[in-house]
Amino acid sequence: MSGTDRSWTIAPTLLWFAVCLGAGLWALDGGLQAVADRLTTPRGGQTTQVAGPTFAAPQVVASTQDDDEDAAGPSVGGGGGGGAPSPASGALEDTCLDGTPEACKRWAMDPFYRAVAEEKRGKLGRPVRVSWYGDSVVATDAIPGRLRTRLQRELGDGGPGFVYVVPPHRFCGHEAITRTSGGSWFSHAISTMQTPDGLYGVGGATAETDDGRATIKLVAGKATSIDLHYLAQPHGGTAVVLADGNEVVRAETKGDVKEPRYAGATVGSGAQQFKIETTGRVRLFGIDLENASGAVVDNLGIVSVNVKSWGNANPADFAAGLGHRGADLVMIMIGANEAQWLGAGDKDTKLYAANYEKVLGPIRKARPDAACLVVSPTDQAEATDTGYVSRPVMAPLIEEQRKAAHASGCAFFSTYDWMGGKGSAAKWFRKGYVGSDFQHLTRKGANKMADAVFEALMSGARRYAAH
């Protein structure tokens, strides 16, 4: 007697597996052509030069110092030598927006340096604002939090800055506050659970409730200025902010159409605890908690963000949020997710600069008077028969980001080159700077990187002030 014919069960299973695999690659790589690229294109590829503002690429100083993870180190500020400011600050490459690198009248980083100089003279009238966008490498707040600490030691405690009332993901942290919530909240973000209207505000995330409440408490110090970002909408409700138990903001969120609005207040003596209570349908983007001077660093990192995620946001809404927030420096650090699935010769890799310019364009348009800084991802490693080696896509991915930054009038910080370039992820792992995924930095590595960014920023500010 012949055995049972099982082909009718195996064939459909294989077919469904192939369909699911194709759909997964489609979703990750961005379409059918990208799937074809991964199957047919050799790893490699050439880059093309993009016309745009001029810049002078500095000789990058690779990281060599084994910094203590708990020591912030000395601050860098004050005056310096005379002469025109140099575009090179270690791994930070500035871009000339008016003139040539040899005789430049206006550099991309000037607005930030100017704000620092005015803050030091006591003439800015508000804190220096840095808004740092990114993926999960940024979202934990280990890197932005360290930069926040260093800048506040240099310029003063400006407060936590912009924070999500309810974060879009449990790994979206903020080390200057503790945060709790109750009731029913529904969170949406440009890279996670999206909302059909594309309204996410300046932070790329929104939270909606019918009965929610939340408490934000500063870890240290107080905040004197409150600015609630919310959505006016039909059938809206009421949001109340209490500062140390006293009502300071009452926002009626009902409106004829959906549009971003803001409700602010000043608490003369400052407050440490802020409670948000809602009645009816309320949708919040976040809240600014600041002081009259100092520095703030907004952590706007969201898990799973990639270069195409910004396309999920309504451009006008995002621009309105950027304009209202008024950051002196907008930083963008993405690419860690793309590096997980892109190959060096893939179509999406070749088009990466163009896609990145779609991210930077709206930011530059909405904040033409702000500095813009693209921060590259770190080196990433993958397992091979000979050990852990850099992913082949890293070098071309970094170069595409560099081209997009300079073409868009932004400065560029090559974390990849600063940490040592090709092969540095494995070396950093052996030193305890990178986790076992070769993507996320350990606390020691995050401190090291944030300190390098801080030193580059302050070195540039010092040269600007001396010029």
Side-chain angles (χ1 to χ4, degrees):
M1 184 175 178
S2 62
T4 303
D5 182 6
R6 298 183 181 274
S7 62
W8 65 274
T9 60
I10 297 174
T13 301
L14 293 175
L15 178 60
W16 276 108
F17 175 77
V19 171
C20 292
L21 178 61
L25 287 173
W26 183 303
L28 290 174
D29 277 2
L32 183 60
Q33 183 60 52
V35 176
D37 278 346
R38 290 189 67 81
L39 296 176
T40 61
T41 305
R43 295 302 188 224
Q46 307 221 342
T47 58
T48 56
Q49 187 64 38
V50 178
T54 58
F55 72 100
Q59 179 179 358
V60 175
V61 180
S63 171
T64 57
Q65 181 182 358
D66 291 337
D67 298 325
D68 187 314
E69 63 179 308
D70 295 320
S75 62
V76 179
S86 166
S89 295
L92 196 157
E93 307 164 8
D94 211 341
T95 299
C96 181
L97 303 180
D98 185 5
T100 65
E102 295 74 21
C104 188
K105 299 177 182 177
R106 184 165 59 97
W107 294 95
M109 290 296 295
D110 282 356
F112 173 74
Y113 297 151
R114 186 182 306 113
V116 170
E118 291 180 358
E119 183 66 31
K120 284 179 175 288
R121 292 196 298 267
K123 295 183 178 181
L124 187 60
R126 57 169 177 79
V128 174
R129 296 181 181 131
V130 178
S131 293
W132 196 336
Y133 292 87
D135 48 36
S136 59
V137 176
V138 173
T140 64
D141 202 44
I143 304 173
R146 175 72 164 199
L147 180 62
R148 186 182 306 116
T149 297
R150 295 296 304 270
L151 283 175
Q152 290 184 348
R153 289 181 182 178
E154 179 78 14
L155 301 173
D157 181 8
F162 180 93
V163 300
Y164 302 115
V165 174
V166 176
H169 192 279
R170 64 191 182 96
F171 290 141
C172 293
H174 198 296
E175 297 189 345
I177 64 169
T178 60
R179 186 168 36 197
T180 59
S181 61
S184 301
W185 289 93
F186 300 93
S187 295
H188 306 274
I190 57 173
S191 61
T192 55
M193 186 68 70
Q194 293 160 24
T195 181
D197 58 27
L199 303 177
Y200 301 98
V202 70
T206 180
E208 191 164 21
T209 184
D210 287 315
D211 62 350
R213 57 195 179 279
T215 299
I216 298 171
K217 186 175 182 180
L218 277 61
V219 173
K222 294 183 177 182
T224 59
S225 176
I226 302 99
D227 192 19
L228 184 69
H229 296 220
Y230 67 94
L231 182 73
Q233 58 183 331
H235 312 294
T238 303
V240 174
V241 180
L242 295 91
D244 285 347
N246 300 311
E247 181 179 321
V248 293
V249 171
R250 177 173 289 268
E252 301 297 338
T253 72
K254 184 178 181 179
D256 294 334
V257 296
K258 289 185 175 181
E259 62 179 5
R261 291 184 185 174
Y262 314 92
T266 300
V267 181
S269 58
Q272 187 177 31
Q273 180 174 276
F274 301 87
K275 290 186 177 181
I276 297 93
E277 299 177 347
T278 68
T279 304
R281 181 178 301 174
V282 172
R283 186 162 154 189
L284 304 177
F285 301 124
I287 187 170
D288 298 330
L289 300 173
E290 294 185 344
N291 290 310
S293 61
V296 300
V297 177
D298 306 331
N299 175 14
L300 303 176
I302 302 176
V303 172
S304 299
V305 160
N306 60 63
V307 74
K308 293 185 178 181
S309 298
W310 268 263
N312 297 322
N314 179 288
D317 173 71
F318 183 48
L322 285 166
H324 183 79
R325 183 68 188 117
D328 300 294
L329 172 61
V330 179
M331 299 173 62
I332 307 97
M333 183 180 183
I334 55 177
N337 291 306
E338 294 94 305
Q340 298 288 310
W341 63 70
L342 286 179
D346 289 351
K347 181 180 179 181
D348 273 4
T349 305
K350 298 172 185 176
L351 296 176
Y352 196 82
N355 287 327
Y356 211 125
E357 287 181 38
K358 294 178 182 178
V359 174
L360 301 178
I363 294 174
R364 300 300 294 140
K365 184 177 181 180
R367 293 291 297 141
D369 55 345
C372 172
L373 175 61
V374 172
V375 181
S376 86
T378 62
D379 181 39
Q380 291 189 23
E382 61 185 9
T384 67
D385 292 339
T386 59
Y388 289 97
V389 300
S390 289
R391 295 183 183 275
V393 76
M394 294 312 304
L397 187 72
I398 302 305
E399 184 57 29
E400 290 297 296
Q401 289 196 354
R402 175 182 278 110
K403 290 192 299 184
H406 294 307
S408 301
C410 297
F412 183 68
F413 185 96
S414 179
T415 310
Y416 172 80
D417 291 315
W418 167 78
M419 69 188 290
K422 184 178 180 180
S424 57
K427 296 177 181 178
W428 272 48
F429 176 72
R430 289 193 292 270
K431 293 181 178 181
Y433 294 142
V434 178
S436 58
D437 63 355
F438 294 96
Q439 178 182 1
H440 295 88
L441 301 179
T442 63
R443 172 64 66 173
K444 187 177 181 180
N447 287 352
K448 188 177 182 69
M449 179 191 161
D451 287 347
V453 173
F454 170 81
E455 298 295 346
L457 294 178
M458 291 299 101
S459 175
R462 183 174 67 247
R463 284 195 299 273
Y464 178 91
H467 177 57

